[in-house]
Amino acid sequence: MNDLWQQLFILPTDQIPWWAEVFRSVIRLVIALAGGLGSVPILVWLERRLLGWFQGRLGPNRVGPFGLLQPLADALKLMMKEDIIPTNVDRTIYVMAPAIALFPVILSLTVLPWNGSREWGAVAPNIDIGILFLLAVGSIEVYGAILAGWSSNNKYSLLGGLRASSQVISYELGMGLSIVSVLLIAGTLGTQSLVMGYDLSQTGVLAPGTLLGNGQAIVSVASVGDTGYTVYEHAASSGFWDWHFLRLFPFGLIATGIYMISMIAETNRAPFDLPEAETELVAGFHTEYSSFKFAMFFMGEYANMLIVSAICVTLFFGGWLAPFGFLSQLPAVTGLYVAPGVVNFVNSFVIAPFWLFTKLYVLIGLFIAVRASFPRLRYDMLMKFGWKGMLPVALGNLVLIATSLAVQQVTFPSLGYYGAWWAGQGVAWGITLVVVGILFYGKYVQYQAKKRVARTTDLIAPIRRPTVIVPTPSAPAPEA
Amino acid sequence: MPGQTNSLLNSYIPVLCMGLMALFLVVVFVGLSRILGPQRPTPQKLAPYECGVTPIGSARERFPIKFYLIAMLFIVFDIETVFLYPWAATFRHSGGMMLFNLFEMAVFVGILLVGYVYVWRRGAFEWDN
């Protein structure tokens, strides 16, 4: 009996049989689903209430206190509605599309950590390639939109699906490159290690006093055997200034900005909501969907908001860590009065998730505020911004981070930790200034030339733009 | 240690469980409204929705080649990103090889940059002409 208890709850993952791991997985999975999908109704409610507030309306306030039960009522209504499958749709794909849209979103929950335990910290806390997993799974999502749009046999749907696919893949580049920047800084692919600031796969269990990669130190390690948790207490002196968004200033911050813009575009939300622009395309790729199939797209979108925010928090904003180190766990003195197991439980399952969700909801609030503040982009502006703005900036940022790190590595023996930091950053800042200067000078020259042309010829005849893709011999492109 | 060999397998069991759970949920959701909702189809109800106007022709029409172009460019640059991942993950740990690694990456990105500039100059990113 005691042996079974040990196997199911206490022993580390690599010492238990596979069925015990299945049991643990199911527990963790239920926690993750409760946190992930359970948040969807709250998100919907929050969004409608906040939008109402921003626009001087009331928002839903009839069903339940403050309208809290409104999303549940909506879900119930959608469940009871007739499931229409229009004529001439591609039936198999039509039915599969909402499933393909929702499936990867749920699967993404697997590697997002909610505390530092290697046994109970995420659905799959021991995977060293969490970020790759997230990217691989996240890329599937776009298929839901494409297939829904194509199979519906509706012109609006087709246009919505096309728009969604190009938009999502265009912004995935900036997103991927900003994630690579963080990997450069952190030197690991595991989500758990990214938050903690060191590479679990390389160091194993760390001794107290170890300095972590992000400047934090481990104060104590609760032993694995008697509590069931491997808890690394972080130094109370660490805090938000150690998180990745402030590392290698301002390059971490630029990567964060690029990721945050891409994440809004990836989830097809305003101001990037062209795939479902209701004034042009009715409802975009899910125009023909009704009943719970529509609800699945809806759920997928909101759960996806939560997932991309959670990835953002994990990568850039310290995951479940508190903004000030001493808030990450109960004060050590508590251990004198309460059993260490209880202290660890509160640290891992109350305090850490509390900080995670606080950060998540701040980001969600940002999503909603952005939606309320900005008008929708035009499609050519959207693509231009993605390909000519985000991609080169993200790539340049990546190169600068690598340069800074390499210079730091080379100068470290002679200059020490802080000297090397200033040397690396100095080189990177210098390159940035030179490149930005050259770009601005080029723009200035172009602007001057344009002004001259405008003065002389624009009044007589409008400038013909050079057609670049198919140059026609009859109309030679005028030199601007 | 008796179960040491379980390590890798045990790390990926949760992924399998989550996959099965997600599959189950998705299938249930798709089936749910089929079972709970009424089924009273009429020809008008089943027609494609085009704001009340009777649809003309099929929706499976040809669409602008730009979307195709974007997809191809995406593959090029996404593969670039994929190649950068392992490099990025090991860069910090490369010690004395760091400058060499930086140079290698600069060559790789440089080659792509030439392609990027070419594509830009050819106007593949222009949507308004």
Side-chain angles (χ1 to χ4, degrees), chain A residues 185-239:
Chain A
I185 299 173
T188 171
L189 281 168
T191 44
Q192 193 74 277
S193 339
L194 267 170
V195 175
M196 309 274 278
Y198 62 89
D199 196 344
L200 281 166
S201 64
Q202 301 209 354
T203 46
V205 175
L206 293 162
T210 314
L211 190 71
L212 303 179
N214 61 358
Q216 303 179 72
I218 289 179
V219 172
S220 72
V221 181
S223 58
V224 181
D226 54 38
T227 59
Y229 309 112
T230 321
V231 174
Y232 304 94
E233 282 192 30
H234 289 266
S237 60
S238 73

Side-chain angles (χ1 to χ4, degrees), chain A residues 60-102:
Chain A
N61 64 349
R62 292 295 147 140
V63 192
F66 307 107
L68 262 170
L69 297 178
Q70 183 68 48
L72 294 182
D74 286 346
L76 206 66
K77 178 201 74 178
L78 282 170
M79 242 184 262
M80 295 299 177
K81 286 286 179 186
E82 179 172 353
D83 188 12
I84 301 167
I85 299 187
T87 45
N88 284 332
V89 300
D90 193 318
R91 263 186 108 87
T92 326
I93 298 178
Y94 178 84
V95 172
M96 269 169 63
I100 295 172
L102 188 57

Side-chain angles (χ1 to χ4, degrees), chain A residues 13-16 82 87 99 123 135 150 154-155 166 169 183 185 187 288 291 299 387-388 392 409 468, chain B residues 1 3 6 10 14 18 26 29 33 38 40 45-46 48-49 56 60 67 74 85 92-93 98 116 121 126:
Chain A
T13 311
D14 52 3
Q15 291 170 30
I16 57 170
E82 179 172 353
T87 45
V123 179
L135 277 163
W150 186 82
N154 182 318
K155 285 141 199 153
S166 320
I169 62 177
L183 299 185
I185 299 173
E288 288 294 349
S291 181
M299 226 151 77
W387 284 94
K388 293 185 178 175
Q409 168 79 22
V468 187
Chain B
M1 285 220 183
N6 283 348
N10 275 0
M18 196 63 170
V26 155
F29 286 157
S33 49
R40 285 188 288 274
K45 208 190 267 178
L46 295 184
Y49 179 78
I56 301 166
R60 309 263 160 71
F67 290 105
F74 165 73
Y85 273 95
R92 263 213 110 110
H93 311 293
M98 221 162 182
Y116 178 72
R121 299 286 294 183
E126 308 290 336

Side-chain angles (χ1 to χ4, degrees), chain A residues 27-351:
Chain A
I27 294 179
R28 296 189 301 238
L29 184 155
V30 169
I31 296 174
L33 285 179
L37 291 188
S39 288
V40 169
I42 303 171
L43 285 189
V44 176
W45 174 82
L46 193 71
E47 167 150 46
R48 294 179 62 180
R49 286 294 285 201
L50 278 180
L51 276 182
W53 184 55
F54 288 143
Q55 297 168 354
R57 303 183 277 114
L58 284 174
N61 64 349
R62 292 295 147 140
V63 192
F66 307 107
L68 262 170
L69 297 178
Q70 183 68 48
L72 294 182
D74 286 346
L76 206 66
K77 178 201 74 178
L78 282 170
M79 242 184 262
M80 295 299 177
K81 286 286 179 186
E82 179 172 353
D83 188 12
I84 301 167
I85 299 187
T87 45
N88 284 332
V89 300
D90 193 318
R91 263 186 108 87
T92 326
I93 298 178
Y94 178 84
V95 172
M96 269 169 63
I100 295 172
L102 188 57
F103 178 79
V105 178
I106 300 178
L107 202 57
S108 303
L109 284 169
T110 313
V111 288
L112 296 169
W114 59 78
N115 66 45
S117 160
R118 291 218 75 187
E119 277 70 45
W120 301 97
V123 179
N126 288 308
I127 290 190
D128 307 326
I129 51 149
I131 295 300
L132 282 184
F133 181 84
L134 281 175
L135 277 163
V137 171
S139 310
I140 307 173
E141 275 161 28
V142 67
Y143 286 106
I146 300 175
L147 293 177
W150 186 82
S151 68
S152 289
N153 187 37
N154 182 318
K155 285 141 199 153
Y156 298 123
S157 300
L158 182 69
L159 287 174
L162 284 175
R163 281 187 180 183
S165 56
S166 320
Q167 171 183 336
V168 170
I169 62 177
S170 298
Y171 280 79
E172 207 157 281
L173 294 174
M175 191 178 211
L177 286 172
S178 65
I179 292 176
V180 173
S181 318
V182 179
L183 299 185
L184 266 178
I185 299 173
T188 171
L189 281 168
T191 44
Q192 193 74 277
S193 339
L194 267 170
V195 175
M196 309 274 278
Y198 62 89
D199 196 344
L200 281 166
S201 64
Q202 301 209 354
T203 46
V205 175
L206 293 162
T210 314
L211 190 71
L212 303 179
N214 61 358
Q216 303 179 72
I218 289 179
V219 172
S220 72
V221 181
S223 58
V224 181
D226 54 38
T227 59
Y229 309 112
T230 321
V231 174
Y232 304 94
E233 282 192 30
H234 289 266
S237 60
S238 73
F240 65 88
W241 50 90
D242 291 323
W243 298 348
H244 291 130
F245 79 108
L246 283 180
R247 304 284 301 286
L248 301 182
F249 185 83
F251 305 112
L253 208 58
I254 293 174
T256 314
I258 290 169
Y259 181 87
M260 285 171 79
I261 295 170
S262 316
M263 85 182 181
I264 298 177
E266 287 275 300
T267 46
N268 297 335
R269 286 181 54 86
F272 302 105
D273 59 344
L274 286 112
E276 37 202 287
E278 64 273 5
T279 43
E280 316 162 22
L281 295 180
V282 188
F285 55 86
H286 52 67
T287 304
E288 288 294 349
Y289 283 88
S290 55
S291 181
F292 218 70
K293 290 208 188 70
F294 165 73
M296 282 171 79
F297 279 117
F298 196 69
M299 226 151 77
E301 186 190 323
Y302 278 85
N304 201 10
M305 261 169 79
L306 199 80
I307 299 280
V308 290
S309 307
I311 298 173
C312 184
V313 167
T314 306
L315 287 173
F316 299 104
F317 298 109
W320 43 268
L321 294 173
F324 296 96
F326 62 89
L327 292 173
S328 275
Q329 58 253 325
L330 292 175
V333 70
T334 327
L336 296 177
Y337 306 102
V338 195
V342 176
V343 175
N344 277 337
F345 186 83
V346 172
N347 284 344
S348 323
F349 285 99
V350 180
I351 295 180

